[in-house]
Structure formats: C-alpha cells, structure tokens
Amino acid sequence: MKEKILAKAKVDIPLYFNDFKSFWDESLANISDDDLADIYNATLIYKNWKLSFHNIKLRDFDLIIDEIFEDINSSFFLSLMGLYRSAHMHLRSSIELTLQLIFFIDHPIEYIKWKDGDYVIKQDVLSQYIKSHPLIEIEIDTLMTNITTNWKKFSKHIHGESPMFFQCEKGVRKTNTFTIADFNIWKQNFTQNVYNLNKLLLIFFKKNLNLFPSKSRDILLNHLKAEDLNIFQNI
C-alpha cells in the first residue's frame, strides 16, 4: 500500500507544481505594472526597518523583523498562486508581530520568556499599551482602530467564520483561473496593512529617524501619503 501511495505521490506532486506555476504566470500577466510596483515596494519595508534598527544598535529583534518580512513576502507569493486565504493569514501574523515588537523593545524580560514560549500577550492588551505609550506624542486612536479592524478581518480567514473566507469559495478556485476581483481584495488589504504598520513604526521611532540610514529612511517615509508625511516635517 505504501509503495502505491508513494508512486501516486511522485506522479501527482509535479502536477500540482505545474498548476501553481501556470497560475503564477497568469497572475503576473494580468497584474498591472503599477500594482506590481506598489506590492513589491511594500515588501521592501521591513528589510529597511531591519537596517534602520541596526543603525540605532537594536539588533536583538532581528528574529521578529525577519519573521514579519517572511509574512509579507509569503502573502505576496501565495497571492500569485491564487491562495488568498493563506495569504491573508500571514497578514494577521504581521500585525501581531509588529505590535509585539514595539512592546518587547520596552520589556526585555518578557521578550526572553516569549522566545522560550513562556509568555503570551493578548492583542487588545498590546493595542491599549501602544495607544498609551509615552513615546507616541500624537493621537493614534484612528490608526490603531484601523489596524485592529484589519486584524479582526484577517482572523476570519484563519477561523473560517463564513464560507466567504474559504479558499474553495474564491472565484479563483471555482474557475482555476486568475480573477481580478479576488486579487484586488487581497491587494487592497495587503497594501493597507503594510502602510498602517509602517506608519505606526515611524511614529514610534520618530525621534530616531535622523539616525536611520538615509536610503532606508527615504524608502520608509516615501511609502507615506503627503498628509501623513506632515507628521515628520520637523525631524
């Protein structure tokens, strides 16, 4: 029995790869250059946060930043294969890890415990902590509400709260072809999520921005809209 299953697996698995490759190519053929540029630009954000952290002697948090980078890239790559439910799961993780990153910078003991699997902090506690953080000198209630709203929305994909969040109910799965509607939903969620998290980190590290590598600082700030750039005019 095992030999038959193994033989079948060796025949079927390359077929799955061919399907994913075919869909990947179809996605790239149908995504506009502007959309592709926006998405790829978003994948560069956390790489430049890592470089910036190193410049201000924050090297103990590479573990978290690297995993957020993996989340963002994984979401992008999964979307190219039409796996939008899984792509949204990684977006939720990127929110949780970014908020934990801010918390652990101030809590080294808890960070050690967390790395050992002995510490858990709830999402609502994290959000409240950040909203009342003394380093954040501007009102961020709206920003945190947007981040929390996205977290709850992405959580629905993990918990399968309704068939509308199922992979099998996506247009892509029913037709086995690229559908712009599915892609646009993911793309809006993806770019908005990275935008909000980058903005939050910039606000938190506002007083350190001049210590960042100039190229990285420019990439992070240029990701913002003009009205949000006004926050950082006097750095």
Side-chain angles (χ1 to χ4, degrees):
M1 177 63 73
K2 178 180 178 181
E3 288 75 14
K4 289 183 178 180
I5 293 175
L6 183 59
K8 182 66 172 172
K10 290 184 176 181
V11 171
D12 285 349
I13 290 174
L15 298 179
Y16 283 113
F17 173 80
N18 290 339
D19 284 344
F20 288 136
K21 178 64 168 61
S22 176
F23 198 97
W24 180 292
D25 292 341
E26 186 181 358
S27 294
L28 289 177
N30 283 276
I31 297 171
S32 71
D33 287 348
D34 286 343
D35 280 347
L36 188 60
D38 286 345
I39 295 165
Y40 188 75
N41 184 43
T43 68
L44 303 177
I45 294 300
Y46 279 93
K47 180 184 293 186
N48 283 280
W49 271 110
K50 183 176 180 178
L51 294 172
S52 298
F53 271 33
H54 286 183
N55 231 47
I56 57 174
K57 312 304 180 187
L58 278 178
R59 294 180 176 269
D60 292 339
F61 303 98
D62 285 2
L63 174 68
I64 299 182
I65 297 179
D66 287 344
E67 188 62 14
I68 303 171
F69 182 66
E70 290 292 332
D71 277 328
I72 298 302
N73 279 341
S74 294
S75 184
F76 176 34
F77 297 145
L78 286 165
S79 76
L80 292 178
M81 293 185 286
L83 300 174
Y84 294 114
R85 184 182 181 192
S86 297
H88 279 94
M89 293 179 184
H90 283 283
L91 296 184
R92 191 185 94 148
S93 176
S94 71
I95 292 174
E96 293 172 342
L97 289 174
T98 299
L99 300 192
Q100 289 180 70
L101 171 63
I102 292 174
F103 177 83
F104 287 134
I105 287 172
D106 295 329
H107 296 82
I109 303 301
E110 287 82 357
Y111 183 47
I112 293 172
K113 291 181 178 179
W114 174 80
K115 287 193 291 185
D116 291 336
D118 295 328
Y119 185 83
V120 176
I121 184 167
K122 298 293 185 180
Q123 185 71 12
D124 58 338
V125 176
L126 275 174
S127 296
Q128 189 56 46
Y129 172 81
I130 291 171
K131 283 193 289 187
S132 60
H133 198 288
L135 283 182
I136 297 179
E137 299 174 344
I138 66 171
E139 186 274 319
I140 61 165
D141 285 355
T142 300
L143 175 60
M144 291 306 299
T145 296
N146 290 339
I147 290 172
T148 300
T149 298
N150 279 336
W151 178 80
K152 291 179 178 178
K153 177 168 56 177
F154 303 153
S155 296
K156 295 179 185 294
H157 293 82
I158 291 178
H159 302 303
E161 292 187 9
S162 165
M164 72 175 67
F165 301 107
F166 290 3
Q167 179 66 28
C168 64
E169 286 297 304
K170 305 293 184 187
V172 58
R173 183 57 62 230
K174 292 182 175 180
T175 64
N176 204 32
T177 58
F178 176 88
T179 59
I180 194 66
D182 285 337
F183 170 77
N184 282 341
I185 290 171
W186 169 82
K187 189 239 177 186
Q188 180 179 4
N189 289 333
F190 176 84
T191 54
Q192 182 187 67
N193 180 59
V194 174
Y195 186 95
N196 287 339
L197 297 179
N198 180 53
K199 179 181 174 181
L200 177 63
L201 286 171
L202 284 169
I203 291 171
F204 185 77
F205 285 98
K206 181 180 178 182
K207 293 181 179 179
N208 299 104
L209 293 183
N210 282 329
L211 302 176
F212 288 6
S214 58
K215 187 174 181 179
S216 292
R217 183 178 64 245
D218 290 345
I219 288 173
L220 298 174
L221 288 172
N222 288 339
H223 199 71
L224 297 180
K225 299 174 183 176
E227 58 266 29
D228 286 331
L229 270 175
N230 291 333
I231 300 171
F232 307 98
Q233 280 185 340
N234 297 321
I235 60 173

